[in-house]
Every structure is written in structure tokens, then in C-alpha cells.
Amino acid sequence: MSEPLKLAIVGVGRMGAIHALHAFELSRETGSCEVVALVDSDVERVRRYASQLGGDVPVLASIEELIAARICNASVVVTPTDCHRENASMLIAAGHRVLMEKPLTGDLQTDREFAAELDRNNPQALMLAFQRRFDAPLQYARTLMESGVIGRVFKIYSSLEDSNPAPDGYNSGGILPDMSIHNVDEVLWLTGQMPQAALAIGSNIYSHALTTCKEDFDDALLCLWFDGIMAQIQVTRNHVSGYRVETILFGSEGQIHVGRFEQKPLEILVEAYGRRGREEPLDRRAFTMRQYPGSLPEFADRFGPAYKAELSAFVDCCRAGAPFPTTHNDALQAQRVISAGMQSVITRRHAAAV
Ligand SMILES: NC(=O)c1ccc[n+]([C@@H]2O[C@H](COP(=O)([O-])OP(=O)(O)OC[C@H]3O[C@@H](n4cnc5c(N)ncnc54)[C@H](O)[C@@H]3O)[C@@H](O)[C@H]2O)c1
């Protein structure tokens, strides 16, 4: 067995705190990695967090310091989206393999340039953090779908609904690149296809007025047309009752439903129903989620185990020198779809007067 992977977490804010927690846990539970630095411009806040985690680990103020310290060749980049390209490029140039949070850069042209640069110089250096691919309920739904139990799938509904506006000061390239990138990647992963056409409907309904984060919409629907399949993606920051993540696959012989809304999603149900009149569901399986401290954001409760599995896959690939399961090119494909939708946006002013 090779040595533990020496790992740094770069950016220890909302999402970085979750990755740091899991990195310390993997280190203790499996010995597969060792957290050698937490890197954040807000050193004092991160020091306090590190002491809560029980990790006696250096906290560095910049990526430059991390590179100069020469203490590791792998890092998790969880900085704001507008820093992704610069931060990942510096680390990769210094010889790191990087797990980077979504989106790649949040802008199609910049994504294209960055992906081309990576393809040319470092095609195996970046893993893109699309945690849904590591989510046990969604993986099970995909297996069920592929078994043919609901016949030919012709429609996919996928939702991601936050209970709060984007935090004050949060940098977002828009609700679609920021949120729907998860759903778009999920749909591309489920269908194995790229759509031919896309259209978005955007609204500012409620939560945009409660934050300083400037975003195009606080609620959007993205419609995608594939060969024989339609996808409807719903994203919002207005689901005040709690985090809602549901996926429904509609087929010629029934449907598969993943994740009914619960305020505390302690159990995620995957249910498959046959045609009308059938008495029993075709399949039903419950997946137990984990309870995280309330100080962590709501997405930890639903996707905690998936985030941890994703980090574990990154560590394993680095230790084995293996290619990553998700790369910059997956993010580029998703951004292509989103950008097409953003070129064709319907808002209230485009709608017919009643
Ligand atoms: N996968 C998911 O479900 C998910 C959820 C939330 C956020 N994200 C992504 O994670 C990223 C971070 O989002 P967040 O909500 O955690 O943001 P955040 O603002 O809470 O955290 C960012 C952290 O990075 C630090 N930082 C900023 N510039 C830095 C630099 N150059 N070097 C070191 N540290 C720096 C900040 O001090 C802050 O602590 C975004 O790209 C976002 O899209 C993903």
C-alpha cells in the first residue's frame, strides 16, 4: 500500500469546511490521506475551525505559501468561482493534481480556453467535483433505469432548491451556471447524450431582495430537448422550507422517483412505480443520510456521503496515478448546455399579456 496522500484544502468557507471535515475523517478512518495544510486568506477563522476538527494542521494564507512550502502535490480548490481558473492553474503548474468545485469557471468562453489549456498541457490534472455522480440514491436510480424496469425514458425532471438566497458577497455567474450545473451534469450522466436545444425561463420572485449577491434570477427553469427525451430542470433559492433535491425519471412502463422532500433529509427514498393499476411499487429502497452539525450548510445533510465518496475517489486516483472519473471536459459540456439555455431566456416581459 502506498503512503497516505498529502493533501491541502484551499478555500475553507461553506463548501471547503465540508471537504476539510471529510479529509480529516478519511485520514483517521482509512489512512488514505493526510491533511497537511488548510489555505485561506482568512487565517484566524480557519484556525478556529481546524481546532474544532481536532486537526493540528498549518493554516496558510495563500496558494503562493502552499506552493513555496512544497508539502504536497494534491489539493482541493474550494475558492469562489471567479478564482477557480487562476487558483487551479497555479497549483497545476506547481505539479498538483486538483479536485475543484463546480463550475469550471462559470463562463463558456473561459471554460473553453481553460479546458483547451488543460487538454494541451495537463489533461489528467483536474477532477471536477460533481458529487451527484457519487450519490448512492442517484446511482441506484441510474442502475434501475438501465435495467429497463420503467421502459424507454422520455422525460427527466431534476430539481435543486435552496432555502436561502445566495449569501451576501457570494460570487455567482447566474443561477444557472451556479446551481443548474449539478442538474445538467446529472442529466448528461443519466442519458449519456448531449441535448440538441435548450431554453430557460427566469424570474425574480422572492429571495433576490434579501442578499447583496447580484444574480440574474432567483428562480429558473431550464428545458432541454434530446433525441426522444426532454429534461426539465428547476432551480431556485426560494424554497424556504428547506433544501429540496428531487429527480423523477418518466418511462413508457413507469417512473423512478428519487428523494421526496423532507425538512431533514435523513432518509432518501428511491421508488419505482409501474403502470397505473399495478398494486405494488416495482422497487423501493431507502438510503440513510448522515446528520451533520447545524453549523454546516444545508447541502451537507443531503449530499454529505456523496461529497465524502467523491473526495475518497480523488484520493484513490491520486495514489494510484489513475485518471479521474470526472474532468474539466464534463464541466465544459454542462456549461455548453447552460450557455445555450442562457441565450434563449424567457422572462415575464416576453410572455403574452393576459
Ligand atoms: N458542490 C456543491 O454542492 C457546492 C456547494 C456550495 C458551493 N460550491 C462551490 O464551492 C466554491 C466555494 O463556494 P462557498 O460557498 O464555499 O464560498 P465561500 O465564500 O463560503 O468560501 C470561499 C473561501 O475561499 C477563501 N478564499 C477566497 N479567495 C482565496 C484565495 N485566493 N486563496 C485562498 N482562499 C481564498 C475565502 O476566504 C472563503 O473562506 C464555489 O465555486 C461554489 O460554486 C459547491
Side-chain angles (χ1 to χ4, degrees), residues 13-15 40 45 80-81 84 101-102 131 170 182 307:
R14 289 189 316 159
M15 188 63 223
D40 199 292
R45 182 176 47 78
T81 296
H84 280 183
E101 261 310 328
K102 49 51 68 174
Q131 85 277 0
Y170 184 75
H182 287 294
Y307 293 129

Side-chain angles (χ1 to χ4, degrees), residues 9-19 39-43 45-46 60-64 77-84 86-87 100-104 129-131 160 167-171 177-179 181-182 243 297 299 303 307 310:
I9 313 292
V10 180
V12 192
R14 289 189 316 159
M15 188 63 223
I18 298 172
H19 286 308
V39 183
D40 199 292
S41 25
D42 191 343
V43 172
R45 182 176 47 78
V46 173
L60 307 177
S62 70
I63 293 173
E64 287 84 349
V77 171
V78 208
T79 52
T81 296
D82 58 342
C83 304
H84 280 183
E86 187 190 340
N87 294 168
M100 189 168 77
E101 261 310 328
K102 49 51 68 174
L104 189 56
F130 280 137
Q131 85 277 0
L160 172 55
D168 283 345
Y170 184 75
N171 167 268
D178 192 63
M179 290 186 74
I181 191 146
H182 287 294
Y243 194 58
F299 33 86
F303 283 117
Y307 293 129
E310 167 191 86

